[in-house]
């Protein structure tokens, strides 16, 4: 069974440029998460989707970040414009549903470097 | 105070040693607990859930102490392949949300 797929794996951009990340969750997983992981830190949730609905985007910096999951399957996270502090690994995860204590499966991440 | 705290390490141990990590959490309403493993430049992967009665999976033992609000991970007979960062995860009662610790880095030395 294929895992969570993310692309690109690496991205280097200059500050003020836009960037987008793509995620395809495990087939049949209704819940999708985007996390940001800074060096030496644990992942921090940015947004969570139940099917196509964003049910928690409280930690998404909405002035520059946006996300969508139009058909309730794959998802895109966008940053516009990027800042130096956005350099991090952006992880996508999915789970069967959003229930308490359910396992989340992570993709390999996109490593973003903003110069 | 951080919601979930871990000693970042690194813990350098020889092969065959026993090593233990603790993770403290601040919210007494925390409900579910996990240990995830993250290899260098890889994604986190579930190592084991932590149950109230404690649980064991081969060389790995996880325990929960609700009174003192910490969970622990014990690794016996350490292997070189155990070298990784171990992330503690806590969820609050009634929520789905994973709260990660910063991770504890383990290096098993030959």
């Amino acid at each position: 069974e294929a895992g969570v797929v993310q692309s690109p794996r690496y991205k280097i951009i200059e500050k003020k440029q836009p960037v987008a990340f793509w995620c395809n969750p495990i087939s049949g997983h209704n819940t999708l998460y985007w996390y940001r992981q800074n060096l030496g830190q644990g992942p921090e949730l940015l947004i969570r989707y139940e099917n196509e609905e964003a049910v928690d985007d409280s930690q998404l910096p909405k002035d520059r970040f946006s996300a969508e999951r139009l058909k309730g399957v794959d998802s895109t996270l966008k940053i516009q414009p990027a800042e130096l502090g956005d350099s991090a690994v952006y992880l996508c995860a999915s789970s069967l549903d959003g229930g308490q204590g359910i396992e989340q499966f992570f993709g390999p991440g996109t490593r973003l470097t903003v110069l | 105070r951080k919601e979930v705290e871990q000693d970042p390490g690194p813990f350098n141990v020889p092969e065959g040693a026993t090593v233990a990590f603790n993770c403290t959490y601040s919210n007494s309403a925390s409900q579910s607990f996990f240990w995830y493993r993250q290899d260098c430049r890889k994604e986190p992967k579930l190592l084991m859930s932590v149950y109230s009665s404690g649980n064991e999976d081969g060389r790995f033992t996880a325990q929960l102490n609700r009174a003192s609000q910490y969970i622990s991970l014990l690794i016996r007979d350490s292997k070189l392949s155990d070298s990784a960062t171990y992330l503690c995860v806590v969820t609050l009662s009634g929520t789905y949300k994973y709260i990660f610790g910063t991770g504890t880095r383990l290096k098993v030395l030959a």
Side-chain angles (χ1 to χ4, degrees), chain A residues 41-115:
Chain A
Q41 302 296 314
E44 293 181 324
L45 182 72
L46 292 172
I47 189 168
R48 169 195 166 214
Y49 283 92
E50 290 289 347
N51 298 303
E52 65 277 4
E53 182 183 359
V55 295
D56 183 357
D57 62 357
S58 57
Q59 297 190 87
L60 189 73
K62 297 181 185 62
D63 57 336
R64 297 183 300 106
F65 286 65
S66 63
E68 60 183 14
R69 193 185 184 200
L70 293 176
K71 297 181 180 179
V73 180
D74 58 342
S75 176
T76 302
L77 177 69
K78 298 179 181 178
I79 309 175
Q80 182 170 9
E83 297 179 351
L84 294 177
D86 296 332
S87 295
V89 176
Y90 291 83
L91 292 162
C92 178
S94 69
S95 60
L96 277 172
D97 58 44
Q100 175 72 23
I102 196 165
E103 181 180 358
Q104 296 181 21
F105 295 82
F106 286 81
T110 297
R111 185 173 298 271
L112 174 67
T113 301
V114 182
L115 302 176

Side-chain angles (χ1 to χ4, degrees), chain B residues 37-51:
Chain B
R37 170 190 169 135
Q38 187 171 27
D39 292 299
C40 187
R41 293 183 169 262
K42 300 287 188 181
E43 70 273 22
K45 293 184 179 179
L46 180 66
L47 177 66
M48 57 198 305
S49 302
V50 185
Y51 303 122

Side-chain angles (χ1 to χ4, degrees), chain B residues 47-73:
Chain B
L47 177 66
M48 57 198 305
S49 302
V50 185
Y51 303 122
S52 296
S53 55
N55 47 301
E56 186 175 310
D57 182 2
R59 298 181 293 108
F60 299 83
T61 300
Q63 292 194 316
L64 167 63
N65 185 317
R66 285 194 182 274
S68 300
Q69 296 186 194
Y70 74 87
I71 64 171
S72 63
L73 178 67

